[in-house]
């Protein structure tokens, strides 16, 4: 149990004065008292889950329920069968939900035994409707000590479990941000400690910010103990040591891993049964994209917040949920291992070479269900017939999938993937034989086992049908026996089956009818025979359902027996989904296979921006005058053209260009093909991207400080292998300040004797172009425009050399500034550009006579403040 001091909240009585309540309410307090704060307790009462006191008030507001009273206690209830929907809403509001269920059938005059069966939190929920199918759902724990940051993250819905330790927070925070955990765990008091860190410990403050921006739960510090954690983790994984996973038993992140397992166990009210392995994440093996870069390059979300307009949105062609989640993971941690990158690329190439096969594979994949999550639920006691249907449907696709894959040459990547798919014919046949075509979501609805699968079930069902036939015959036989033509046999939930006779015929009722109820129109009767049959029917139905549940348990056991094979198969299917999706993408948008090596070159011929290109195309049909995307080259090398300084008027395409270079490098490193004619990428270890303050719309306040903080982070963490994208750095302050900072930043990046990080720097500071004469590895480029009758035409082409002018006035005109303002600006500009710096001012106008003053606040306003 989670023993945290009982939190007394407004309206909830202390356990001490709980005696004055009924035994049932005392039962309620006993459960409620053990729960962590911010947890709404759903207490099962018959067909409802009830909430009391403050929980009821909160829930009624959140869910729009009517508040009632019971023994003076505020109360609100939801029907048990609709609980899922309500729980989703509560979780979405960032609260936790505890479920307390009845453990036995209610008997009059006796207190029903109730137990806490589950705590649902955003990071530990498993129900399909509470999970985003396309996203991973991590619960993460973090601990910080002198050795560094120790993290563990678990997706309970799939069993994916990882640990990581890094001496530098900056190396771990990027991947954590990219994985976007739903819930965080930290030791008690840690948040306050991190917040109070000295101002110059930027990374600790970033960590604090990361935590407070998410649902973060504090646990007593001893749950983060390494030795305890190691034991907890080994117990959950069912192993005697962690050597099999390449982990020492004193790995410093095991404390965090233990906290994660502890918390998951608490919330499941049982040990998680789907943890099979624990992998170590090493930041040295992945390309790091820090949080600001993820945002600026719009990797997972566009600046507006949606998936549309993001890189992920543009390259996602997956058709399965598990595939979509794998793509997210690959994008969150692009690899630095050439062999792995080449393996993915080669698979895409093999698929592209066989268009009809590719189409057939994609078609079969659309029928594949979410096996990792189905297993997660089955293993953790969340079981219903539809989950088994998902396994059956997936297994049914495997023969076709393997047949298509078998056609690829032996030794090919696809042959290897094919070998990982296990068809499991006995399980497939069992499920096909046993499961009905239509499957209910609730076990108690019955009828999910196909007739003919089990003789005993068929016999029990036969009894019910036999009796039901007797019943339907009864109406006719009784009509004949009594001579009452309008006699009816009916059923309701209060009496069960009964015979109805209208008033006019009451004199014909035989003596063996037993009267049960008088209605406006007549009388209702039962007979001994009818009651006997009714009993048999109910009994048979109950027995049939009981038998079905037994069979269900056998089927679940058969599936779980193969869980390892199923999980492996699902992993291979997810890969196949992502990679075949990339093949489709490459064909659709004419991508090329980039060459990757250990060099420090970045060479792109006719590159395009993967997102803007698709956006322009989709808008072109609607918007007149939209041009298609203009491709551009790029050539960087850390010992040669190390820094490209891009100038050009506003709207020319500078930001688009420098981002497209970064996105192409990133795509290359996840193994995807890239939007270019030709491309060579020397492995990149980090991508940094920063945008000058006034472009950083999403953040708004104090942006200059943020910009400088982030720039500091780059300058401190970059290596010669990094790729840096700086967009209008320095714009957030006055011209001279900004220019000086930009200037110094460029010099700093160029400080190495022979080499430095590959950098693209877009700027409107014309003055910076002089640097080319002093810094040998800096090259000027500009985005070309054409002047035509005092108008400018954007050519979108990046050409060597600095832009000669900034064309601000022409751009302003395109933007629709009044013609008078444009003319005046031109006059001023001409003056400023000639040596004559005196600008002719218009004759002063008469000042307005009446003075405007600010009215002093009156008393009422003062009071309000
Ligand atoms: P800048 O940073 O120079 O002000 P942007 O990169 O923001 O300019 O580009 C302005 C607009 O021009 C973009 O929104 C995009 O629609 C268009 N654009 C940019 N580059 C290209 C290109 N290569 N081909 C076609 N349109 C482009
Ligand atoms: Mg720009």
């Amino acid at each position: 149990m989670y023993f945290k001091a009982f939190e007394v909240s407004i309206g909830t009585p202390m356990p001490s004065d709980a005696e004055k309540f009924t035994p049932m309410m005392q039962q309620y307090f006993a459960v409620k008292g053990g729960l962590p704060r911010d947890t709404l307790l759903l207490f099962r009462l018959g067909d409802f889950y009830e909430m009391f006191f403050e929980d009821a008030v909160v829930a009624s507001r959140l869910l729009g329920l009517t508040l009632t009273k019971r023994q003076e206690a505020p109360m609100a209830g939801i029907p048990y069968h609709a609980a899922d929907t309500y729980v989703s809403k509560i979780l979405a509001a960032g609260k936790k939900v505890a479920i307390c269920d009845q453990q036995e059938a209610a008997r009059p005059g006796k207190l029903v035994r109730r137990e806490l069966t589950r705590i649902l939190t955003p990071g530990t929920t498993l129900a399909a409707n509470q999970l985003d199918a396309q996203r991973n759902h991590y619960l993460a724990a973090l601990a910080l000590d002198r050795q560094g940051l120790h993290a563990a993250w678990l997706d309970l819905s799939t069993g994916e479990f990882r640990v990581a330790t890094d001496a530098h927070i900056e190396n771990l925070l990027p991947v954590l941000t990219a994985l976007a955990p739903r819930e965080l765990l930290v030791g008690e008091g840690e948040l306050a400690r991190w917040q109070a860190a000295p101002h110059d410990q930027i990374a600790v403050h970033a960590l604090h910010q990361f935590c407070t921006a998410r649902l973060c739960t504090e646990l007593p510090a001893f749950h983060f103990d390494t030795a305890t954690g190691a034991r907890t983790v080994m117990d959950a994984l069912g192993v005697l040591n962690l050597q099999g996973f390449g982990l020492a038993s004193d790995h410093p992140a095991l404390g965090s891993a233990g906290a994660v397992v502890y918390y998951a166990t608490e919330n499941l009210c049982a040990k998680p049964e789907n943890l099979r392995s624990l992998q170590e994440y090493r930041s040295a093996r992945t390309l790091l994209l820090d949080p600001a870069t993820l945002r600026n390059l719009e990797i997972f979300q566009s600046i507006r917040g949606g998936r549309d307009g993001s890189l992920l949105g543009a390259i996602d062609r997956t058709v399965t949920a598990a595939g979509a989640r794998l793509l997210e993971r690959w994008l969150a941690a692009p690899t630095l291992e050439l062999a792995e990158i080449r393996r993915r690329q080669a698979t895409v190439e093999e698929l592209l070479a066989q268009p009809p096969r590719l189409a057939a594979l994609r078609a079969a994949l659309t029928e594949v269900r979410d096996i990792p999550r189905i297993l997660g639920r089955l293993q953790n006691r969340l079981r219903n017939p539809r989950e088994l249907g998902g396994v059956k449907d997936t297994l049914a696709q495997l023969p076709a999938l393997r047949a298509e894959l078998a056609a690829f040459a032996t030794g090919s990547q696809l042959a290897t993937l094919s070998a990982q798919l296990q068809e499991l014919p006995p399980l497939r046949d069992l499920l096909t034989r046993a499961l009905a075509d239509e499957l209910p979501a609730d076990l108690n609805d019955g009828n999910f086992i196909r007739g003919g699968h089990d003789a005993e079930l068929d016999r029990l069902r036969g009894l019910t049908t036999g009796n039901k036939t007797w019943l339907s015959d009864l109406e006719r036989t009784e009509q004949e026996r009594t001579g009452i033509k309008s006699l009816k046999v009916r059923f309701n939930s209060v009496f069960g089956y009964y015979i109805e006779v209208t008033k006019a015929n009451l004199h014909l009722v035989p003596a063996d009818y037993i009267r049960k109820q008088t209605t406006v129109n007549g009388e209702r009767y039962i007979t001994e025979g009818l009651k006997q049959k009714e009993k048999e029917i109910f009994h048979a139905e109950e027995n049939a359902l009981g038998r079905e549940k037994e069979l269900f348990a056998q089927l679940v056991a058969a599936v779980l027996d193969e869980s390892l094979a199923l999980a492996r198969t699902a992993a291979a299917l997810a890969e196949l989904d992502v990679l075949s999706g990339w093949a489709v993408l490459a064909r659709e948008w004419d991508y090329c296979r980039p060459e990757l090596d250990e060099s420090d070159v970045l060479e792109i011929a006719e590159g395009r921006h993967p997102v803007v290109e698709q956006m322009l195309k989709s808008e072109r049909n609607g918007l007149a005058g939209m041009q298609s995307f203009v491709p551009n080259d790029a050539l960087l090398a850390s010992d040669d053209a190390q820094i490209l300084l891009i100038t050009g008027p506003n709207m020319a395409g500078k930001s688009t260009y420098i981002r497209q270079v970064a996105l192409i490098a990133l795509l290359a490193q996840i193994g995807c093909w890239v939007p270019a004619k030709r491309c060579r990428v020397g492995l990149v270890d980090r991508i940094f991207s920063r945008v000058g303050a006034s472009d950083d719309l999403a953040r708004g306040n104090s942006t200059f400080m943020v910009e400088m903080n982030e720039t500091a982070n780059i300058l401190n963490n970059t290596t010669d292998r990094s790729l840096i994208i700086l967009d209008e750095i320095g714009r957030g302050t006055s011209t001279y300040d900004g220019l000086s900072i930009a200037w110094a930043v460029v010099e700093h990046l160029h400080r190495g004797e022979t080499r430095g990080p590959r950098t693209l720097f877009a700027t409107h500071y014309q003055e910076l172009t002089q640097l080319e004469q002093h810094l040998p590895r800096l090259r000027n480029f500009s985005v070309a425009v054409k002047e035509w009758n005092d108008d400018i035409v954007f050519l979108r082409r990046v050409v060597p050399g600095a832009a000669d002018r900034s064309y601000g006035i022409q751009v302003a005109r395109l933007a629709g500034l009044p013609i008078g303002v444009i003319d005046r600006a031109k006059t001023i500009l001409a003056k400023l550009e000639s040596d004559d710096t005196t600008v002719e001012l218009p004759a002063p106008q008469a000042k307005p006579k009446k003075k405007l003053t600010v009215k002093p606040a009156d008393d009422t306003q003062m009071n309000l403040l």
Side-chain angles (χ1 to χ4, degrees):
M1 269 321 308
Y2 186 103
F3 286 114
K4 192 157 182 175
F6 184 73
E7 306 272 351
V8 189
S9 43
I10 344 144
T12 310
M14 290 281 290
S16 58
D17 57 270
E19 291 100 66
K20 69 174 196 249
F21 289 92
T22 58
M24 190 205 75
M25 284 311 282
Q26 290 178 29
Q27 197 180 37
Y28 172 86
F29 290 123
V31 177
K32 179 75 182 166
L35 295 176
R37 216 159 23 103
D38 258 351
T39 310
L40 299 186
L41 175 57
L42 299 189
F43 195 72
R44 181 72 177 262
L45 278 182
D47 283 345
F48 279 81
Y49 281 115
E50 297 289 355
M51 284 159 282
F52 297 100
F53 302 104
E54 204 191 345
D55 286 2
V57 179
V58 171
S60 71
R61 224 180 301 128
L62 210 63
L63 306 172
L65 306 172
T66 8
L67 208 53
T68 54
K69 274 204 160 148
R70 184 187 183 114
Q71 287 195 323
E72 289 310 297
M75 172 171 114
I78 53 181
Y80 86 96
H81 56 81
D84 257 10
T85 326
Y86 287 106
V87 168
S88 305
K89 283 192 196 159
I90 301 174
L91 292 179
K95 298 214 174 297
K96 304 169 186 174
V97 180
I99 311 271
C100 181
D101 269 320
Q102 296 180 177
Q103 296 299 315
E104 56 191 6
R107 263 170 297 155
K110 192 179 168 290
L111 181 63
V112 184
R113 193 159 55 81
R114 290 186 178 82
E115 258 168 36
L116 187 65
T117 50
R118 182 76 165 88
I119 302 175
L120 294 156
T121 71
T124 59
T125 177
L126 290 173
N129 62 342
Q130 285 151 16
L131 294 168
D132 183 344
Q134 301 196 331
R135 308 289 314 267
N136 296 284
H137 246 81
Y138 293 107
L139 165 70
L142 300 171
L144 183 67
D145 62 18
R146 250 175 273 123
Q147 287 184 64
L149 181 63
H150 314 294
W153 57 96
L154 166 68
D155 186 336
L156 191 58
S157 68
T158 61
E160 188 204 344
F161 191 16
R162 284 176 194 261
V163 284
T165 277
D166 205 296
H168 302 286
I169 297 172
E170 300 91 320
N171 289 346
L172 221 42
L173 208 50
V175 73
L176 288 168
T177 308
L179 293 173
R182 303 292 155 132
E183 195 173 356
L184 295 174
L185 306 171
V186 297
E188 219 157 22
E190 287 294 272
L191 288 180
R193 198 166 65 85
W194 299 344
Q195 189 175 25
H199 189 72
D200 60 343
Q201 296 195 6
I202 300 172
V204 179
H205 286 283
L207 180 64
H208 177 258
Q209 207 180 7
F210 173 77
C211 293
T212 47
R214 290 167 177 76
L215 177 66
C216 187
T217 302
E218 290 192 302
L219 298 180
F222 61 83
H223 287 304
F224 284 80
D225 176 67
T226 312
T228 322
R231 274 196 304 277
T232 313
V233 168
M234 286 188 285
D235 183 43
L237 294 169
V239 294
L240 293 175
N241 60 55
L242 295 168
Q243 279 164 15
F245 307 114
L247 289 168
S249 58
D250 60 351
H251 189 291
L254 285 173
S256 295
V260 163
V261 173
Y262 159 79
Y263 188 75
T265 308
E266 282 296 285
N267 286 341
L268 287 172
C269 297
K271 200 171 87 173
E273 294 290 347
N274 61 329
L275 306 193
R276 295 284 176 276
S277 84
L278 177 61
Q279 282 171 298
E280 181 168 28
Y281 165 88
R282 290 210 188 89
S283 33
R285 282 206 215 130
T286 50
L287 187 168
L288 296 186
L289 297 152
D290 62 6
T293 304
L294 291 174
R295 203 171 55 237
N296 293 338
L297 293 181
E298 303 177 278
I299 305 294
F300 294 103
Q301 285 189 342
S302 75
I303 291 289
R304 269 166 276 113
R307 192 183 159 99
D308 266 6
S310 69
L311 179 68
L312 178 61
I315 62 161
D316 185 359
R317 294 291 183 281
T318 58
V319 290
T320 70
R325 296 196 301 268
L326 178 65
L327 175 59
E328 187 186 45
R329 289 200 297 278
W330 278 358
L331 203 51
T335 172
L336 289 179
E337 284 165 29
L338 281 176
E340 172 61 14
I341 298 173
R342 290 186 183 135
R343 184 184 72 79
R344 294 178 196 172
Q345 290 183 331
T347 317
V348 174
E349 181 149 13
E350 288 170 15
L351 287 162
L352 267 172
Q354 307 241 22
R357 289 254 128 74
L358 175 60
L361 282 173
R362 303 287 292 163
L365 280 173
T366 53
E367 302 299 322
V368 162
R369 304 284 160 254
D370 198 348
I371 296 296
R373 283 195 171 157
I374 289 177
L375 285 177
R377 283 190 286 268
L378 290 178
Q379 283 163 325
N380 289 308
R381 302 180 302 158
L382 216 73
R383 299 174 173 182
N384 76 51
R386 287 211 184 133
E387 310 283 15
L388 293 182
V391 178
K392 180 184 95 169
D393 293 348
T394 305
L395 289 176
Q397 294 307 315
L398 293 180
L401 276 165
R402 290 204 55 184
E404 291 299 334
L405 293 172
F408 290 90
T410 42
S412 65
Q413 299 300 334
L414 287 161
T416 317
L417 265 180
S418 167
Q420 290 163 31
L421 300 180
Q422 300 194 35
E423 290 191 38
L424 307 174
L427 180 61
R428 183 185 62 214
D429 295 346
L430 173 65
L431 293 175
T432 313
R433 245 185 301 117
L435 290 174
D437 292 332
E438 298 279 329
L439 297 172
D442 188 344
L443 202 56
N444 291 313
D445 288 352
N447 280 323
F448 45 86
I449 300 285
R450 188 188 290 280
H453 171 59
D454 180 66
E456 173 63 6
L457 178 62
D458 290 346
R459 189 184 70 80
L460 292 168
R461 279 181 178 160
L463 287 181
T464 321
T465 352
N467 286 323
K468 285 207 166 143
T469 321
W470 181 89
L471 261 179
S472 54
D473 287 347
L474 182 68
E475 198 165 273
R476 195 171 34 81
T477 50
E478 286 300 299
Q479 281 171 0
E480 278 162 14
R481 175 160 85 99
T482 59
I484 308 172
K485 289 245 163 49
S486 61
L487 178 146
K488 292 264 176 330
V489 175
R490 293 213 149 104
F491 177 85
N492 78 23
S493 55
V494 183
F495 305 127
Y497 291 96
Y498 59 85
I499 297 167
E500 194 165 65
V501 179
T502 54
K503 271 196 184 132
N505 293 308
L506 289 181
H507 60 285
L508 295 172
V509 166
D512 61 333
Y513 276 25
I514 307 162
R515 205 179 73 207
K516 269 312 241 197
Q517 193 192 23
T518 308
T519 66
V520 194
N521 300 324
E523 302 277 352
R524 290 173 176 177
Y525 300 92
I526 54 166
T527 66
E528 285 300 337
L530 186 56
K531 279 296 124 179
Q532 183 54 36
K533 276 295 173 200
E534 180 185 288
K535 225 192 241 152
E536 281 170 26
I537 290 174
F538 286 163
H539 205 64
E541 275 178 349
E542 210 175 288
N543 286 343
L545 185 61
R547 179 65 190 158
E548 273 201 81
K549 287 184 177 173
E550 268 172 45
L551 294 168
F552 177 75
Q554 287 170 14
L555 293 177
V556 170
V559 169
L560 291 185
D561 271 351
E562 297 291 2
S563 58
L564 216 56
L566 284 169
R568 281 209 193 105
T569 303
L573 288 173
E575 257 197 32
L576 196 58
D577 186 19
V578 174
L579 296 172
S580 61
W582 283 349
V584 169
L585 175 75
R587 175 173 306 280
E588 202 178 321
W589 292 96
D590 198 19
Y591 281 15
C592 76
R593 176 176 176 168
E595 210 180 297
L596 279 113
D597 54 34
E598 305 272 5
S599 75
D600 52 9
V601 171
L602 179 53
E603 187 183 351
I604 299 169
E606 298 184 30
R608 285 119 46 202
H609 190 296
V611 183
V612 176
E613 172 182 43
Q614 294 187 18
M615 251 153 38
L616 284 183
K617 174 102 177 226
S618 65
E619 280 172 9
R620 199 135 43 110
N621 305 328
L623 278 167
M626 273 286 183
Q627 52 176 324
S628 51
F629 198 88
V630 178
N632 273 305
D633 302 344
L635 178 57
L636 292 111
S638 56
D639 59 353
D640 186 10
Q642 182 213 329
I643 301 177
L644 307 190
L645 191 81
I646 323 285
T647 44
N650 265 319
M651 276 302 284
K654 301 181 296 298
S655 302
T656 309
Y657 174 69
I658 59 177
R659 281 173 174 74
Q660 104 191 7
V661 172
L663 293 177
I664 287 175
L666 174 60
L667 285 180
Q669 250 169 274
I670 59 173
C672 184
W673 289 28
V674 298
K677 187 115 213 152
R678 209 162 22 77
C679 174
R680 180 176 166 214
V681 181
L683 284 180
V684 174
D685 68 347
R686 284 138 205 255
I687 297 178
F688 290 105
S689 164
R690 292 301 181 276
V691 184
S694 39
D695 252 12
D696 206 353
L697 298 172
R699 315 255 291 173
N701 58 356
S702 173
T703 43
F704 180 66
M705 182 65 190
V706 174
E707 176 192 332
M708 287 301 112
N709 251 334
E710 294 180 352
T711 310
N713 172 294
I714 300 184
L715 301 184
N716 294 329
N717 291 300
T718 177
T719 78
D720 287 351
R721 283 216 158 277
S722 307
L723 176 64
I724 303 180
I725 307 299
L726 296 175
D727 196 355
E728 309 273 14
I729 286 298
R731 193 162 60 174
T733 181
S734 79
T735 310
Y736 283 126
D737 271 9
L739 173 58
S740 326
I741 291 171
W743 188 299
V745 166
V746 173
E747 282 184 354
H748 182 90
L749 290 171
H750 193 281
R751 74 192 181 288
E753 290 281 299
T754 56
R755 59 180 61 240
R758 288 160 283 182
T759 304
L760 289 130
F761 196 128
T763 183
H764 68 291
Y765 293 125
Q766 212 67 40
E767 295 85 343
L768 287 180
T769 56
Q770 304 165 35
L771 280 168
E772 194 178 37
Q773 284 136 43
H774 310 286
L775 306 176
R777 298 194 305 275
L778 183 140
R779 307 278 186 277
N780 280 330
F781 280 87
S782 58
V783 191
V785 294
K786 202 164 66 185
E787 228 176 331
W788 187 71
N789 282 348
D790 200 31
D791 250 339
I792 66 168
V793 180
F794 296 114
L795 299 179
R796 312 285 184 216
R797 277 201 3 262
V798 176
V799 295
D804 51 346
R805 299 167 45 194
S806 54
Y807 300 97
I809 296 176
Q810 282 88 340
V811 175
R813 202 172 90 161
L814 285 183
L817 228 59
I819 204 72
V821 175
I822 299 289
D823 286 344
R824 174 68 180 147
K826 277 188 197 156
T827 319
I828 298 173
L829 179 68
K831 286 272 188 190
L832 290 174
E833 282 181 345
S834 66
D835 282 340
D836 171 12
T837 49
T838 57
V839 177
E840 239 173 79
L841 293 175
Q845 295 175 4
K847 288 230 168 87
K849 281 193 197 87
K850 228 165 99 195
K851 257 196 179 167
L852 285 180
T853 51
V854 180
K855 242 171 100 188
D858 60 29
D859 275 341
T860 46
Q861 270 174 316
M862 296 288 276
N863 284 343
L864 275 175
L865 295 170

